[in-house]
Amino acid sequence: MGSIRDNGAARGVVYVPKTGALPHGHECATHRAQAHRLADLLGQDFVGDLDIEAGTVRNAGVTGGLPGALPLHAYFVPADSISTEAAAQLGVRDEQDLFGGVVPHPFVATKTITHGLLAPEAQAPTGWSRDFAEAVREVTLPGYSAFALDDALAAGRRLLERGPVRAKLALGVGGLGQAVAQDAAQLERVLREFDADAGLHEGVVLESNLEQVATLSAGRVRLGELVVTYYGQQRLTRDNRGAEVYGGSDLVLVRGDFDALLALDLDPPVRQALEQASIYHAAALRCYPGLFASRCNYDIAQGRDAAGRWHSGVLEQSWRIGGASGAELEAVDAFLREPELRLVRASTGEIYGADAQAPADARIYYWGEDPHVGRLLKYARTQGYGYT
């Protein structure tokens, strides 16, 4: 596959939306605003949104803007992890060329890689790494991945011996495409419904269900020569329909890689979560050749199962721009401005409703009426600094 670059064009930052995404929905608008922010941090211009199939860029902020050529050596901000084939087409060579990640196979960007198969003969996609599943077995929850109904049923029944099972579709996001089964009959109903609605060929994860769960996040961002790692916790809020949804993240970010983060004085559960995320991160890079990412985020669940046993384990990875990225960029800005700075506390917030207000010191990334979720405010802010 050849390159779609115009060799006579200048460098710039380009946003790559998901196929079929609403150009002015809250997700695209937030990502685009963050791409503008990245352009400022990189000292470049924001060029516009990329249409990969056409090989052209349109400035979404200009009414009736005409498509233009893709800049030479553009820096990309994709809404999803991109394939190695797409990376080659765009000229993405390494972490310096994008805010996000490149994966050798589509399934590598999903939560299915977190767990192994029930049996060697179980169905799996081309490129599946049994070595990775084994390498992360001790840093994940008890569970299996499956790509066919019979395999999923057998794996779920095995897990039911330990207690209730949570089933999660590979492509489910934000808590969607999940259900908890208490027994074999309920498990079969759930999996057959999943199979009828979306099919299981993309994969399903089955895990021991935890109670009173705390979900921590760990992440790593690279921009130019600067590397930042962090840990944090997610907050929940109520959307315009009253449902409980993601409401933001509170992060502690340090200059340096995971070893710099682990050098902090941490509570034991936080340290355990970070060590698990670090092992998962290193194993993914080792076991899936062709994978690289400048923005990595790992969710770690901690809680007890039905028998009262304590568990801590990585749930999934995100090698793309995400909900915590606004806080990540605020910290990057602070680290770039102050070479002596070692630690930043930053947060993101999402508030629903017409009366939503951001803190006075916040940077607003979205404030508008989304056609699907209604009125929504999204912001990021820094809240503290450390120099030692």
Side-chain angles (χ1 to χ4, degrees):
M1 185 181 296
S3 172
I4 58 175
R5 294 180 181 278
D6 176 351
N7 291 331
R11 186 172 173 89
V13 174
V14 175
Y15 172 51
V16 188
K18 295 179 182 178
T19 301
L22 291 173
H24 297 289
H26 76 89
E27 185 177 74
C28 278
T30 303
H31 290 169
R32 194 177 296 115
Q34 291 169 347
H36 275 277
R37 182 83 165 117
L38 280 159
D40 290 340
L41 294 172
L42 290 164
Q44 299 180 26
D45 293 327
F46 175 73
V47 180
D49 295 6
L50 173 65
D51 181 334
I52 289 183
E53 292 185 0
T56 57
V57 178
R58 181 183 295 274
N59 188 333
V62 178
T63 302
L66 297 175
L70 182 64
L72 181 66
H73 303 312
Y75 182 89
F76 295 94
V77 185
D80 272 329
S81 300
I82 62 174
S83 68
T84 50
E85 292 83 0
Q89 182 186 15
L90 297 172
V92 171
R93 300 151 296 189
D94 54 33
E95 294 180 25
Q96 302 285 5
D97 291 332
L98 84 168
F99 190 80
V102 172
V103 294
H105 307 281
F107 74 86
V108 178
T110 76
K111 57 179 68 73
T112 58
I113 67 167
T114 299
H115 297 290
L117 309 174
L118 178 63
E121 64 273 13
Q123 187 170 315
T126 301
W128 179 261
S129 173
R130 288 177 170 80
D131 289 342
F132 176 75
E134 183 60 28
V136 302
R137 186 166 55 86
E138 297 299 324
V139 300
T140 58
L141 304 180
Y144 299 100
S145 289
F147 296 87
L149 179 59
D150 288 346
D151 292 339
L153 287 168
R157 291 178 186 127
R158 175 77 62 83
L159 277 176
L160 280 170
E161 297 171 7
R162 305 177 57 94
V165 172
R166 180 175 294 272
K168 305 185 292 187
L169 285 170
L171 301 182
V173 295
L176 301 176
Q178 296 191 23
V180 176
Q182 304 289 333
D183 53 40
Q186 191 173 17
L187 173 72
E188 183 165 357
R189 284 197 299 273
V190 166
L191 291 176
R192 289 193 180 279
E193 287 176 4
F194 281 0
D195 194 34
D197 290 343
L200 299 185
H201 59 280
E202 298 287 357
V204 62
V205 167
L206 301 119
E207 289 175 335
S208 292
N209 187 55
L210 301 186
E211 300 172 353
Q212 298 179 339
V213 182
T215 302
L216 286 76
S217 296
R220 177 186 182 275
V221 171
R222 178 172 183 171
L223 195 68
E225 297 305 312
L226 176 66
V227 175
V228 174
T229 51
Y230 63 84
Y231 72 88
Q233 194 151 4
Q234 298 177 7
R235 286 176 277 106
L236 297 175
T237 190
R238 297 285 178 180
D239 68 11
N240 289 309
R241 298 180 179 86
E244 202 169 49
V245 296
Y246 175 76
S249 296
D250 299 307
L251 306 182
V252 175
L253 309 99
V254 300
R255 185 190 300 270
D257 221 316
F258 279 107
D259 56 346
L261 198 58
L262 288 165
L264 299 178
D265 183 16
L266 303 167
D267 291 336
V270 174
R271 179 171 297 279
Q272 181 180 14
L274 291 178
E275 289 173 344
Q276 291 174 325
S278 179
I279 290 170
Y280 189 109
H281 175 78
L285 296 175
R286 184 175 68 251
C287 296
Y288 283 105
L291 168 66
F292 61 86
S294 64
R295 194 272 174 176
C296 313
N297 181 273
Y298 304 96
D299 287 343
I300 304 98
Q302 295 183 330
R304 299 189 182 276
D305 64 17
R309 292 170 294 219
W310 166 261
H311 293 279
S312 176
V314 179
L315 296 176
E316 60 184 311
Q317 76 291 349
S318 172
W319 296 313
R320 58 174 177 78
I321 196 167
S325 291
E328 296 163 7
L329 298 183
E330 293 306 302
V332 164
D333 184 23
F335 286 127
L336 290 174
R337 285 186 286 104
E338 299 192 53
E340 300 304 314
L341 189 62
R342 291 291 174 264
L343 181 147
V344 174
R345 295 182 183 274
S347 65
T348 62
E350 301 193 6
I351 307 174
Y352 293 80
D355 297 329
Q357 288 188 335
D361 59 349
R363 182 183 303 274
I364 295 175
Y365 280 106
Y366 179 80
W367 176 223
E369 186 79 22
D370 181 272
H372 294 306
V373 305
R375 198 73 175 171
L376 174 61
L377 170 68
K378 300 166 81 170
Y379 67 86
R381 60 194 290 242
T382 52
Q383 296 167 278
Y385 305 93
Y387 292 87
T388 59

